[in-house]
Amino acid sequence: MASPVVVIVGGGFGGVAAAKVLKNAPAEIVLIDRENHNLFQPLLYQVATSVLSPGQIGVPIRDLLRHHKNTTVILGEVVGVDQDRKQVFVCDADRQDVPIPFDYLILATGVTHSYFGHDEFEKFAPGLKNLADAEAVRNKILTAFELAEAEEDPSTHQDLLTFILVGAGPTGVEMAGAIAVMVRGTMKSEFRRIDPASARIVLVDRSSRVLASFSEKLSAAAKKRLENLGVEVKLGQNVDQIDADGIVVAGERIFSKTVIWTAGVAPSPAGKWLAAETDHAGRVRIQNDLSVAGRPEIFVVGDTASLDRGGKPLPGVAQVAIQQGRYAGKLIHRRLTGKSAPGPFSYFDKGNLAVVGKGFAVLESGKVHSSGLIAWFAWAAVHLQFLADSSLRLGVFLQWVWTYLSGRRGARLIVNPRVSEAQKAVPDTTVKAAASSG
Ligand SMILES: Cc1cc2nc3c(=O)[nH]c(=O)nc-3n(C[C@H](O)[C@H](O)[C@H](O)COP(=O)(O)OP(=O)(O)OC[C@H]3O[C@@H](n4cnc5c(N)ncnc54)[C@H](O)[C@@H]3O)c2cc1C
């Protein structure tokens, strides 16, 4: 008899945690992701600000799971689920809607950017969710300095050297701090026509505090630290407009060529695929065992799931995704081996950390609230611990020590996607033929 098939969609924190628990399960595990790598998103801002290179925070999923003999990794985008026939539909570079059957399904497809109904902002204010985004933001920031250096008319320098971050959650705060350290330190003596330290860094949020998920005292400490680093923090102000010239915030135009979206996120379409109940944000409402109501064989975990605890939905953070992925994997493993189901899922909150520039972080864990250098060491230790692979841990550790001591950054390359010579050589007729056959 064929083994039961467990399909996991998403090789992020939740999906990989589930796959790890199912390593020795008597089943065929199929993990599908549209990227070939597992990504440590909490350090994406360091790729965007040139501290780390992409290969230091991502690892191929098949490399991570190479010792899992029962697991097949498929590169493809899931576009739908047929719950009655128990199939997911996958598209890849060559094929459309390929059905993959399952006995159990775990959806761990995370979130994407949300521009709160203003999708037109995206063109001018890229977000930060994957490595392509981080490289695009890095290119944008570094290019602004190059354009300013090449520009002989000093009146245009200020627009080029104004960097705006929309959203003062952890990503916005961490990015603002990292840009400030880069312009005032790393780039100091490299330019001749411009002074990188004169760059204006503006952090805007409609909330009245930065890092609103932290205590008021820690929010205030983070804000003070940002201001000491020279970041302008504009709180309680709505961004009305983002365009090629910058932003309009509370009626004021701020000219800038580099606006970065660090605000909202929206869940993956998992709720639509399942036609399941969702919360106001569109995340799939799940039961206490993380399954979907009426579908005990379908589980949704991580950022794309919604589970209330203490009257509030669990936050969209890595710890929730990891613990839920492990739980769903364990539950399926127990069912496959005829064991009783575990008790309901319970979340253990290990705390919250955010870094603000060099040598300063805020930490909130139970009754422990701390800010400064010790919190920064805790932040560094926790991030190293949760990197997916020991080679990444070593690489990032060495890079951080070098950057900390020397002030230099490892990956300040502008890598622009250009049409290659080979692509240019393709005759026009090929394109026309492809278009007319579509
Ligand atoms: C910039 C940034 C900074 C963050 N910082 C922190 C932090 O400091 N601390 C913290 O705890 N959390 C942080 N988070 C949040 C944390 O990364 C998420 O909570 C966590 O990644 C959620 O895990 P997940 O498994 O639900 O989704 P993800 O880790 O996002 O994984 C989803 C996976 O699904 C794949 N996928 C999506 N749709 C499809 C599809 N249709 N077909 C196939 N594959 C698909 C994606 O490629 C991805 O690999 C941060 C997030 C970002 C973006």
Side-chain angles (χ1 to χ4, degrees), residues 382-398:
V382 167
H383 282 67
L384 285 174
Q385 185 197 344
F386 282 101
L387 276 163
D389 189 76
S390 51
S391 66
L392 296 186
R393 262 171 244 140
L394 182 64
V396 170
F397 174 72
L398 293 175

Side-chain angles (χ1 to χ4, degrees), residues 1-6 25-29 70 101-104 336:
M1 207 172 78
S3 301
V5 179
V6 182
E28 185 192 344
I29 317 298
N70 64 348
F102 65 82
D103 295 290
Y104 291 96
L336 288 167

Side-chain angles (χ1 to χ4, degrees), residues 293-312:
R295 295 284 172 181
E297 74 287 5
I298 300 181
F299 301 83
V300 185
V301 303
D303 280 7
T304 212
S306 174
L307 183 67
D308 287 354
R309 282 291 175 266
K312 283 197 304 195

